[in-house]
Amino acid sequence: YYLAAIFADPIAETLQLPHAWFFGIFSAALLLSGLLGPLAGRFAKTLVERPELANATLHDAIDAVDHLETPLPPRESEEALARAFGRPLATLFSAVDLVPVRGGFAEQTHFARLIMPVNGHREVAIKLLRAGQLQQIGDELALLRWVARWLENVSGTARRLRLRALAQTFTDDILRRFDLRAEAANLSQTGHHFDGDTRIVVPNVIWDLCTPLTLTMQRIDTLPASDLSGLHAHHVKLAPLAAHIVEVVTEQAFEHGFFHATLDARRVRVSIEPDSLGRLVLAEFSIMSSLSTGEREFFVHGATALFEQDYGRLAELHRDAGHVPHDTRAELLEAELRTRAEAHFAAAPEDRSAGSLFHHLLHAVHPFDGTVSSRLATAQRSFQQAEMLARALHPGVDTWNIARGVLADIARRDIDHRGWFKRISRELPHLAHMLPRVPQLAVRYLQHEHDRARSPGQNARLLAEIGREYRRTRALLWACVLCGGVLGAGTVL
């Protein structure tokens, strides 16, 4: 009943329903859903209080109950792996550790050695979903959706708050955590983004051994980033490691626009293998988020303006991005940003927090009935988690200037020739369809003008105008060529 009360209290208060009536309904539903009761409670409570953090809090709750989950015994693990792969394990692996090295919510991880190496990798890690527990979770999610649907049928307020949509969102977020094919794709794309980067190593996916219930990847010997004594024992330098955490997470979110939505210390590990000693190894790619081009550009250029204390430009960026109503006075928003941010610049360098400054960058619009996307709030939260971890590793790390430098570099690449080429490449597919039609459109225009001409004098004027436009176009093209050459030479120099 305590678990039911967690979920019932905030919703009952919001719906303005009799507490006893509402409590009775949800206590029955949540007591039947033994696994998802506390998770639904955390999700609903956070959704009422902090909507932008509901998704992250849900998965924090899942991580909190991981230790309560019992892994399969060795014999059942062997049978489950064989069923998932569709063949006996002896035909694939020369050795399999049937005792899980890590356990989680309806999942467990095993180490194994391949008989034949794949892409040069013989040692692998296998994430296995427990099918029986997954089925139980599906049944409980169906029960919660049924309760939400029933409430909407009997309550107009429930329909207004769209409880069915809330239950469906909760279902989607839970099931997304168990989509191993999507997690493998997320892992592979992150490896592509950081290919050749000496600060981070991303395990390779063994696609031939990925199924709906298994994810097989390259095994890398790691230690948790929070294991300071272990890192010291392996002679890992903590100062550059702390800086790399801030740099990589910033680039992941605001350059590539594809990042961990639930980043914390448990998902950051450090390689202790000789070939990649001291490199970051990010784990748990099941819950990723992405930023659109507009969101990414707003944060990069908005943060750069904030670091430069250019509050007027930041206020205009908020208005252009649609974060505040169009009639919001720019000087009032600028004053709000200044009031929130100036205290951070007045603090001592070692006390400055870029993550806290970015919080004001996004939430200064709230007094004006404005809002930013939940994905931007998630990205800011991920950065703040990385900053906290970096300071725990090395208290002297200057996360403020590291973030400032990385974001300034990204902003510079956005506005120099590399940004031009990127924008032109995005427009090329449209130009490929438009350019072949230009001669046809020109002929139609000339034919239309010719039909309008009533006298030889009008025809002569038309020909003169065409000749004049031709000369202007030729001069413009030559000017573009000369300017492009000068800019290119200047960039090279």
Side-chain angles (χ1 to χ4, degrees):
Y1 279 90
Y2 172 71
L3 298 179
I6 295 177
F7 193 30
D9 284 341
I11 301 296
E13 181 180 349
T14 304
L15 293 176
Q16 297 180 352
L17 298 174
H19 181 78
W21 179 75
F22 194 85
F23 177 79
I25 296 172
F26 269 88
S27 63
L30 296 177
L31 286 175
L32 288 174
S33 56
L35 287 175
L36 298 184
L39 303 183
R42 290 284 296 274
F43 180 77
K45 188 173 182 180
T46 303
L47 191 68
V48 172
E49 298 174 353
R50 299 281 302 280
E52 74 277 6
L53 297 182
N55 182 64
T57 303
L58 168 64
H59 296 285
D60 289 343
I62 292 176
D63 293 335
V65 299
D66 275 354
H67 67 283
L68 302 176
E69 301 299 313
T70 303
L72 298 174
R75 183 174 182 81
E76 293 183 22
S77 295
E78 182 178 10
E79 295 172 353
L81 287 168
R83 282 195 302 270
F85 289 123
R87 67 186 84 172
L89 297 185
T91 63
L92 295 172
F93 307 101
S94 60
V96 180
D97 187 357
L98 296 175
V99 177
V101 294
R102 285 191 296 273
F105 191 63
E107 64 189 30
Q108 55 193 56
T109 302
H110 298 265
F111 288 159
R113 181 180 298 110
L114 293 169
I115 294 176
M116 296 294 295
V118 178
N119 297 331
H121 306 302
R122 188 182 292 271
E123 302 292 334
V124 297
I126 307 169
K127 178 183 283 190
L128 170 68
L129 291 182
R130 297 191 284 270
Q133 199 167 7
L134 202 58
Q135 179 62 44
Q136 181 184 356
I137 290 172
D139 294 341
E140 296 177 0
L141 289 169
L143 173 63
L144 290 177
R145 292 198 303 275
W146 177 85
V147 172
R149 185 168 60 251
W150 188 87
L151 280 175
E152 282 201 356
N153 289 335
V154 300
S155 170
T157 308
R159 288 192 294 272
R160 179 175 58 82
L161 294 178
R162 303 178 63 193
L163 283 188
R164 291 175 65 182
L166 168 64
Q168 188 60 52
T169 300
F170 179 74
T171 298
D172 294 341
D173 286 338
I174 289 288
L175 295 182
R176 187 158 57 110
R177 188 182 180 96
F178 302 118
D179 188 347
L180 293 187
R181 298 290 293 185
E183 182 175 356
N186 295 338
L187 179 61
S188 180
Q189 182 176 357
T190 303
H192 172 70
H193 286 161
F194 289 97
D195 186 27
D197 196 315
T198 58
R199 300 168 300 177
I200 182 173
V201 55
V202 180
N204 290 327
V205 177
I206 312 299
W207 285 102
D208 292 340
L209 297 178
C210 290
T211 72
L213 293 177
T214 59
L215 166 60
T216 307
M217 70 191 88
Q218 170 194 3
R219 175 185 171 184
I220 300 175
D221 289 330
T222 62
L223 287 176
S226 55
D227 185 1
L228 300 185
S229 59
L231 295 177
H232 279 300
H234 286 85
H235 306 290
V236 175
K237 297 180 179 178
L238 299 184
L241 178 63
H244 291 166
I245 290 173
V246 177
E247 293 169 355
V248 167
V249 171
T250 305
E251 292 173 12
Q252 190 183 37
F254 306 117
E255 182 172 19
H256 305 300
F258 186 68
F259 62 97
H260 281 68
T262 56
L263 184 74
D264 58 20
R266 295 186 299 274
R267 292 179 175 85
V268 180
R269 304 181 70 86
V270 182
S271 172
I272 56 173
E273 293 188 351
D275 294 340
S276 56
L277 180 65
R279 294 190 189 182
L280 292 173
V281 181
L282 300 182
E284 297 296 333
F285 286 79
S286 56
I287 308 301
M288 304 289 287
S289 186
S290 59
L291 298 177
S292 67
T293 300
E295 290 169 337
R296 188 193 63 79
E297 290 180 350
F298 163 77
F299 195 100
V300 169
H301 295 285
T304 303
L306 189 57
F307 277 123
E308 295 172 354
Q309 296 170 273
D310 189 348
Y311 305 111
R313 181 158 67 96
L314 179 53
E316 289 300 321
L317 288 172
H318 272 300
R319 286 165 56 91
D320 293 342
H323 295 160
V324 292
H326 67 278
D327 57 348
T328 301
R329 293 173 58 185
E331 65 273 16
L332 295 181
L333 179 55
E334 180 181 348
E336 179 70 18
L337 289 164
R338 183 183 299 108
T339 302
R340 288 170 173 256
E342 279 300 311
H344 292 273
F345 292 96
E350 63 273 10
D351 296 330
R352 292 177 179 176
S353 169
S356 299
L357 183 68
F358 294 159
H359 177 84
H360 297 305
L361 163 67
L362 299 182
H363 295 87
V365 299
H366 287 175
F368 305 93
D369 295 326
T371 183
V372 297
S373 72
S374 59
R375 295 183 297 185
L376 278 173
T378 301
Q380 181 269 330
R381 181 178 183 270
S382 293
F383 174 86
Q384 197 160 18
Q385 293 282 352
E387 183 182 45
M388 292 169 59
L389 177 59
R391 290 187 166 180
L393 280 172
H394 186 70
V397 64
D398 188 356
T399 57
W400 178 281
N401 282 318
I402 291 172
R404 181 174 188 169
V406 172
L407 290 169
D409 287 341
I410 298 173
R412 192 178 304 114
R413 288 194 291 271
D414 270 353
I415 60 178
D416 66 9
H417 64 283
R418 289 164 290 190
W420 294 359
F421 291 147
K422 186 184 298 183
R423 290 177 177 82
I424 291 174
S425 66
R426 287 202 298 263
E427 296 297 329
L428 282 178
H430 305 289
L431 295 176
H433 293 286
M434 294 172 57
L435 288 179
R437 298 182 59 197
V438 170
Q440 183 182 8
L441 295 174
V443 169
R444 288 183 179 178
Y445 170 76
L446 293 175
Q447 187 176 10
H448 176 70
E449 292 296 326
H450 181 269
D451 293 340
R452 289 177 56 193
R454 300 285 183 175
S455 64
Q458 290 176 323
N459 284 333
R461 284 196 298 273
L462 176 61
L463 291 174
E465 289 178 3
I466 292 174
R468 185 163 53 252
E469 291 301 324
Y470 171 75
R471 290 189 296 273
R472 288 176 178 175
T473 303
R474 184 173 58 183
L476 178 62
L477 290 174
W478 277 111
C480 290
V481 170
L482 291 175
C483 290
V486 171
L487 289 174
T491 300
V492 171
L493 294 176

